[in-house]
Amino acid sequence: MTTSLEILDTLIGFDTVSARSNLPLIAYVEDFLKSRGFAVTRVPDPVEDKAGLFASIGPTGAGVLLSAHTDVVPVEGQNWTRDPFRLTVEGDRLYGRGTTDMKGFLATMLACADKASKRTLREPLKLAISYDEEIGCVGIGRMIDALQPAIGLPRACIVGEPTSMQVAVGHKGKSAIRAICHGEAGHSALAPRFTNALHLAADMVAGLRSMQDDLAKHGARDGGYAIPYSTVHVGKMSGGTALNIVPDRAEVLFEFRHLAADAPDALMARIQTLADDIATTHGAAITLEQVTTYPGLDTPPDTDVTRLVQRLARTQTLTKVAFGTEAGFFDALGIPTVVCGPGDMEAQGHKPDEYLLRSQLDACDVMLDSLLDTLG
């Protein structure tokens, strides 16, 4: 029987930083599953040299879906003391890029698939394996329409992002937006005669800060989150070519992360009004472009899927996570979904010398073994 640790060793060896192709890893997983009797559907990306997989084994029916992504964040600029793309085992720590986020769960998924191939199941085990999650859940957004025709909708879904094996029933949704501010080029000696695009951008940043203050003081609240209100964050502002040229273009890259109680369309409408007002004041134009978006998750704590995964993970703790996941895409299809997986995102995810505790990997194996007992 192939163990989770052996599989993780192989998975870490694939450099699947989001900027690169994941096809070598996908080929490995596809062969792994097909050789064990899974029905596998490859879903190629329509633009890039990447793909995801949907797979199922067992009888026709709903069953339970396990979900993981294959991509990892970059290592450039980080001070690694070990090879990030080679699994290094030191005591209880398993070092390597993606051990926590989230090839550890993918490894346990595949080990579970290996065990499932040797059993007679009463319900199917289903798998979703995606790409480009780290850049805004792009891959699953392009794959999701193929889920039902490929393997059918499950009765429950577990997204295995790192929650320290606690059951997470919620996270905020997110939209990333680029504001393009259009000004007029001219000599800086005559600057007052021209519209400075950076001035528009600065006013846009100030307006977004004011919107954040309003949300913090008067917006919806959810005490399950470390930041209990919807947030607006500006990550980058750029513009201009030289000091003696009035900038005719500037960009502001920002995001909002919203509670379930704050409709993203309503927040976007506020931002559009802000941009229009600033543009009118300057007699100019601001164009808003949505870069990425993904839905949030707000699963009731008393649902069947919540109780199921609490039992499987042997915990009564429920939590909500600060980071986004692909869970909202499954939830939007009417699939009851929670997030539960090995590792601690805050302590270990996206960091140099990323590691996963062996005890967490073992605990996830126990959870998925219990799931097979439920399906069998």
Side-chain angles (χ1 to χ4, degrees), residues 25-26 66 76 81 101 103 110-111 125 138 159 194 244 276 283 293 298 346 348 373:
L25 183 150
I26 286 294
L66 304 176
E76 287 78 13
T81 62
D101 187 17
K103 289 180 177 178
L110 296 179
L125 172 67
V138 172
V159 176
F194 305 99
N244 62 350
D276 291 344
T293 185
D298 192 29
E346 183 176 355
Q348 298 147 11
D373 291 338

Side-chain angles (χ1 to χ4, degrees), residues 38-60:
F38 275 75
V40 181
T41 299
R42 181 185 285 220
V43 185
D45 184 88
V47 178
E48 300 184 81
D49 195 27
K50 299 179 181 181
L53 299 175
F54 293 124
S56 180
I57 194 169
T60 302

